[in-house]
Amino acid sequence: FYLTPAQVNSILKANEYSFKVPEFDGKNVSSVLGFDSNQLPANAPIEDRRSAATCLQTRGMLLGVFDGHAGCACAQAVSERLFYYIAVSLLPHETLLEIENAVENGRALLPILQWHKHPNDYFSKEASKLYFNSLRTYWQELIDLNSGETTDVREALINAFKRLDNDISLEAQVGDPNSFLNYLVLRVAFSGSTACVAHVDGVDLHVANTGDSRAMLGVQEEDGSWSAVNLSYDHNAQNEHEVERVKMEHPRSEEKSLVKQDRLLGLLMPFRAFGDVKFKWSIDLQKRVVESGPDQLNDNEYTKFIPPNYHTPPYLTAEPEVIHHKLRPQDKFLVLATDGLWETMHRQDVARIVGEYLTGVHHQQPIAVGGYKVTLGQMHGLLTERRARISSVFEDQNAATHLIRHAVGNNEFGTVDHERLSKMLSLPEELARMYRDDITIIVVQFNSHVIGAYQNEE
C-alpha cells in the first residue's frame, strides 16, 4: 500500500505523549524541563512498555522503558510496579512508618508517585490488591531493617529491581484461588522483560539497566555539534564482561553450553531480565507449578518445555547495572529506548538528530557540485529542495516521534524517505516483525540553567 503523508503521521503519532515540568512563578526549579515519549508496534499486541512518574515523597523523577518477550505480561507488570518499589526503597524511615500506620488504621495513604501516562498505557485493575500486598510486605521489612542511614540511590535501585523480581517469582509459586489472577501471575512469571530506568534528581542522574535496552546522553560540544555518551551496557553475548560473569557463576563443565548462537542456553538474547522463571527455577519447581496451575497454562507449550543443558539454575538475574552521572550544562538530553531503535540507528546519529530537532539548528554540509558547471537556476533548485526537506523535518511536535520517523524511514543519505516510511508502516502484522522490532523511546530534556546553578552552589 502507498500511505499518504497524513496517514503516515497518524500511525506515527498514535502513541505520542509529552510532559512539561510545571514552573513556579516563572522559575523552573527542576533539572528536567520535560520529556517526549512514543511507541511504534511491530508485534500485535506490542510487547514494549514505558513509564514516567514524579516521586512525591522524595525528590526526583523516574522514567523507564521495558522490552517484553514471550508475550507482554511481564513488561506490563514491571512497568506498573517497579517505580513503586524504587520509590519505597528511597523513602525515609518516618515516611514508611506514616504510610504503614495509615494502612493499619484504614486512613488515606500519602500518594507516593504522580504518574505521567498516555491513555493507551494500561494498568491492570484486577491485580492491584495482590500487587499492593506484596509492596506492603516489602516496606514492612524495610521498617524492620531500619538502619537509621539515608538510602543510597544506587542501592535503592538495585534492591527494588531484585525485590520485584523475587515477588513476581513468589506470587507465581503461591498461586491465587481466583483462577483469572492465578493465570495472570503465571503469565507474568513465565514471560520476561528487560528494564532501563533513569532516576533524575538535581544534577544526579542514575541509570539502572537490566537487559539490552539503552540509555544515552546527548551532549552539545562547544562548536555546537552533538556527541553521544553511553549510560548503560547491553547485557547480551556482545558484552564480553557479561559472558564472563555468566561463566563464572556455573561449573566449568557447562562452559560450552551456556552461550550458544549468541543466546543464553541457546535461547535467550538478554542475559539479564525480569520474570523468565524458565531460566531461574529448578526443574522440579517448574513442573510442580505448571501441573498445579490452570488448564490454560498446560496448553502453553512454552511453559512445559525445559531449556537444554539445564543443570545449575538460576541462569538469569534481574539485578541491574547502575551508572551514576553528574549532569553538566552541556548535557542537553537523555534518550531511553528499547533495542528496536538501536538495531536501526547508531547512537551518534541519534544524538545529532535529537540535538538538531531540539535546537532547530542544522549543521548543514555545504552543497558540493563537484566541478560541474551549474547554472544559477539549478543551484536555486538544489537549495529549494534542501529547504523543503528541512521544513518538513520539523513537522513533529515530539522528539521521540521525530526519532522514530528517522529510525524507520531513513535512506542511505540519512534523510527520511517518504516512500520507504510508507512501505515500512504498511507491512501486515506478520511481516512487520521480520523487518523491525517494537520501538519505544523517551527523550528527556534537561534545563541547563538549573544544572548550572546547582553546580555553582556546589
Side-chain angles (χ1 to χ4, degrees):
F1 298 107
Y2 185 77
L3 303 175
T4 65
Q7 288 169 316
V8 164
N9 279 349
S10 78
I11 294 172
L12 288 180
K13 293 170 189 269
N15 298 308
E16 68 179 11
Y17 178 82
S18 290
F19 174 75
K20 295 278 170 279
V21 173
E23 299 194 54
F24 300 93
D25 307 329
K27 282 199 176 67
N28 186 327
V29 291
S30 169
S31 55
V32 175
L33 279 171
F35 69 86
D36 289 340
S37 81
N38 201 349
Q39 294 188 297
L40 182 68
N43 291 297
I46 185 169
E47 294 184 346
D48 281 5
R49 294 291 184 271
R50 57 181 165 177
S51 295
T54 302
C55 300
L56 294 173
Q57 304 304 326
T58 52
R59 301 183 334 174
M61 198 168 189
L62 285 164
L63 307 110
V65 295
F66 312 93
D67 185 351
H69 46 265
C72 57
C74 188
Q76 177 60 46
V78 174
S79 74
E80 55 186 276
R81 300 179 70 180
L82 180 58
F83 287 8
Y84 281 115
Y85 280 72
I86 295 172
V88 163
S89 307
L90 287 166
L91 290 177
H93 188 243
E94 310 77 73
T95 315
L96 287 172
L97 280 173
E98 267 178 66
I99 291 174
E100 177 55 30
N101 288 335
V103 178
E104 193 73 25
N105 301 309
R107 291 199 313 272
L109 276 185
L110 289 170
I112 299 176
L113 293 173
Q114 178 195 351
W115 290 93
H116 310 299
K117 300 180 76 58
H118 186 279
N120 294 356
D121 296 343
Y122 159 84
F123 247 48
S124 57
K125 302 280 184 291
E126 307 82 12
S128 55
K129 195 170 177 350
L130 169 76
Y131 290 174
F132 178 79
N133 290 338
S134 292
L135 183 68
R136 185 184 178 188
T137 305
Y138 178 41
W139 80 55
Q140 287 170 335
E141 284 175 31
L142 288 174
I143 290 171
D144 294 343
L145 287 170
N146 172 37
S147 59
E149 292 165 24
T150 53
T151 321
D152 171 59
V153 177
R154 180 193 147 77
E155 241 171 273
L157 288 163
I158 293 173
N159 293 342
F161 272 62
K162 286 163 72 173
R163 178 57 182 239
L164 172 57
D165 192 51
N166 196 48
D167 284 355
I168 286 171
S169 172
L170 216 55
E171 288 157 4
Q173 291 171 50
V174 171
D176 197 281
N178 170 333
S179 65
F180 172 81
L181 266 184
N182 197 19
Y183 185 47
L184 177 82
V185 295
L186 288 164
R187 273 183 43 222
V188 168
F190 276 94
S191 59
S193 178
T194 70
C196 188
V197 171
H199 178 265
V200 194
D201 177 9
V203 290
D204 289 304
L205 166 61
H206 287 82
V207 172
N209 182 50
T210 286
D212 53 8
S213 293
R214 279 185 207 168
M216 182 213 89
L217 198 61
V219 180
Q220 191 165 30
E221 304 298 343
E222 283 181 3
D223 65 355
S225 66
W226 295 93
S227 64
V229 175
N230 274 351
L231 287 182
S232 67
Y233 299 105
D234 294 355
H235 299 133
N236 58 22
Q238 271 60 60
N239 179 339
E240 289 168 25
H241 296 294
E242 198 58 12
V243 175
E244 275 315 301
R245 177 188 67 80
V246 172
K247 286 183 177 170
M248 292 286 288
E249 291 172 3
H250 299 277
R252 288 288 301 266
S253 55
E254 292 185 57
E255 204 162 307
K256 288 196 164 51
S257 57
L258 278 172
V259 179
K260 279 186 145 171
Q261 285 146 341
D262 282 352
R263 290 166 181 256
L264 190 63
L265 297 182
L267 295 168
L268 197 64
M269 288 288 271
F271 283 19
R272 302 190 195 195
F274 281 91
D276 279 320
V277 293
K278 298 222 58 73
F279 295 85
K280 293 172 180 170
W281 289 355
S282 70
I283 293 176
D284 285 350
L285 179 56
Q286 291 190 37
K287 284 185 173 152
R288 207 165 66 239
V289 170
V290 172
E291 278 161 18
S292 62
D295 294 342
Q296 300 111 300
L297 204 67
N298 279 318
D299 303 339
N300 184 337
E301 283 307 307
Y302 177 70
T303 51
K304 280 195 200 145
F305 136 93
I306 303 289
N309 301 303
Y310 197 76
H311 308 297
T312 52
Y315 288 90
L316 192 63
T317 176
E319 182 169 337
E321 199 171 0
V322 179
I323 290 182
H324 172 237
H325 176 83
K326 278 250 188 260
L327 289 170
R328 311 156 300 172
Q330 63 265 39
D331 300 331
K332 300 299 183 188
F333 60 88
L334 172 74
V335 176
L336 298 169
T338 54
D339 63 349
L341 173 70
W342 310 110
E343 282 165 7
T344 58
M345 292 187 83
H346 189 274
R347 62 175 185 270
Q348 204 44 60
D349 294 328
V350 170
R352 180 183 54 78
I353 287 165
V354 176
E356 290 181 352
Y357 170 84
L358 292 175
T359 55
V361 178
H362 274 277
H363 277 263
Q364 289 288 20
Q365 300 306 316
I367 288 188
V369 288
Y372 297 111
K373 286 200 166 120
V374 179
T375 65
L376 272 176
Q378 287 165 322
M379 195 65 182
H380 177 71
L382 282 169
L383 289 167
T384 314
E385 191 185 324
R386 173 188 261 190
R387 196 165 76 204
R389 271 215 310 271
I390 295 169
S391 60
S392 72
V393 161
F394 292 113
E395 64 201 28
D396 292 318
Q397 304 300 303
N398 178 303
T401 308
H402 183 67
L403 202 43
I404 290 176
R405 191 183 295 275
H406 276 271
V408 180
N410 261 6
N411 58 18
E412 60 273 33
F413 305 113
T415 55
V416 176
D417 177 344
H418 177 75
E419 200 171 319
R420 181 181 159 79
L421 197 53
S422 164
K423 276 183 190 159
M424 290 293 280
L425 293 180
S426 60
L427 289 171
E429 277 166 13
E430 59 280 8
L431 271 181
R433 190 65 194 82
M434 293 163 67
Y435 285 91
R436 57 181 181 82
D437 197 354
D438 297 328
I439 299 176
T440 298
I441 300 172
I442 300 177
V443 179
V444 187
Q445 204 178 343
F446 296 122
N447 189 332
S448 307
H449 302 301
V450 171
I451 290 168
Y454 268 112
Q455 273 192 332
N456 295 339
E457 278 172 30
E458 286 181 2

